[in-house]
Amino acid sequence: MTDDSRIKQFEQMASADPDNELGHFSLGRAYLGAERFDDAAVSFARVVELNPKMSKAYQLLGEALDGAGKRTDAIDALTKGIGVANELGDRMPLEAMADKLRSWDAPVPTYETPTAEAEAPAASGPSAAGFRCCRCGRPDGQLEKRPFKGDMGEKILANVCNGCWREWIGQGTKVINELGLALSSKEGQDAYDQYMLEFLQLEEV
Ligand SMILES: [Zn+2]
């Protein structure tokens, strides 16, 4: 698929379902790939508006703003992103954003460095509510609401933590990009669901 047709497909996804952060995230990535930095910045700004806790989107927003020649705004986005990533313990985007700020000689906000305790799942067993993420085994960080309607949304709410769900959103975007999945078709949707089940280890739940 060419960049242009890919972008058209994601533009359709984003406008068909304007409150779906995944659509805007995918579109932003496609714009970024085509070096349409201003457009990418608009898409990622929409993602963080819809989901202020998606740390990876701040990272890409910063990249897009910098590409568009807006270094000050880029620094602002990454600084916010580091705060979010720090709060959620998203190590990879956190380090990437901190490295980027350092490379610009911009101040890097202080953040916690992980401890062995924070990295390991809690040893004290399931939380009072009995939630334990089926992918990472953590007893905390349950989603506050189902991510979409239907049985699958309920299943994810009951079994997948917020961190793993957000990781899937990043991964799902890659799957769509790399396979050129058309989510408007049944085959595309089925393939996407299959990857999601595998990634979240939901098959045997
Ligand atoms: Zn998890």
Side-chain angles (χ1 to χ4, degrees):
M1 212 190 304
T2 64
D3 270 1
D4 275 354
S5 59
R6 184 174 304 229
I7 285 171
K8 282 212 176 67
Q9 190 182 346
F10 288 133
E11 281 172 341
Q12 280 163 6
M13 272 172 64
S15 60
D17 192 2
D19 293 332
N20 182 342
E21 66 208 40
L22 183 57
H24 295 284
F25 190 82
S26 307
L27 178 58
R29 293 257 284 229
Y31 283 143
L32 210 51
E35 302 194 341
R36 288 173 59 177
F37 297 114
D38 283 303
D39 291 328
V42 171
S43 294
F44 292 122
R46 181 77 184 125
V47 175
V48 300
E49 192 184 326
L50 289 166
N51 181 358
K53 293 195 165 178
M54 189 164 170
S55 57
K56 181 79 183 168
Y58 293 91
Q59 183 191 336
L60 297 179
L61 175 60
E63 207 175 296
L65 287 166
D66 184 55
K70 297 170 183 163
R71 177 66 61 86
T72 312
D73 292 342
I75 290 171
D76 191 45
L78 295 187
T79 303
K80 265 190 209 138
I82 287 176
V84 171
N86 186 36
E87 198 180 308
L88 298 169
D90 295 341
R91 306 310 308 172
M92 300 226 329
L94 207 171
E95 297 297 343
M97 289 188 278
D99 284 348
K100 186 62 94 176
L101 286 177
R102 281 185 208 107
S103 77
W104 294 339
D105 287 325
V108 179
T110 49
Y111 56 88
E112 291 160 36
T113 41
T115 61
E117 197 189 337
E119 290 292 288
S124 54
S127 65
F131 171 78
R132 183 176 280 276
C133 175
C134 66
R135 179 164 177 268
C136 69
R138 284 174 190 259
D140 51 19
Q142 188 172 16
L143 290 164
E144 282 166 20
K145 57 181 169 75
R146 60 185 180 176
F148 45 80
K149 287 180 196 149
D151 290 348
M152 185 65 79
E154 296 290 353
K155 198 169 177 182
I156 289 165
L157 172 63
N159 295 290
V160 177
C161 79
N162 191 32
C164 289
W165 175 245
R166 272 179 296 104
E167 254 184 74
W168 161 248
I169 291 178
Q171 193 57 38
T173 306
K174 240 189 190 165
V175 167
I176 296 171
N177 282 333
E178 283 169 7
L179 302 181
L181 292 183
L183 291 186
S184 48
S185 74
K186 173 143 179 23
E187 295 96 296
Q189 189 65 55
D190 285 351
Y192 182 81
D193 286 350
Q194 191 55 41
Y195 279 98
M196 182 172 73
L197 289 173
E198 279 167 23
F199 182 84
L200 295 173
Q201 299 172 27
L202 268 171
E203 302 240 81
E204 57 278 29
V205 173

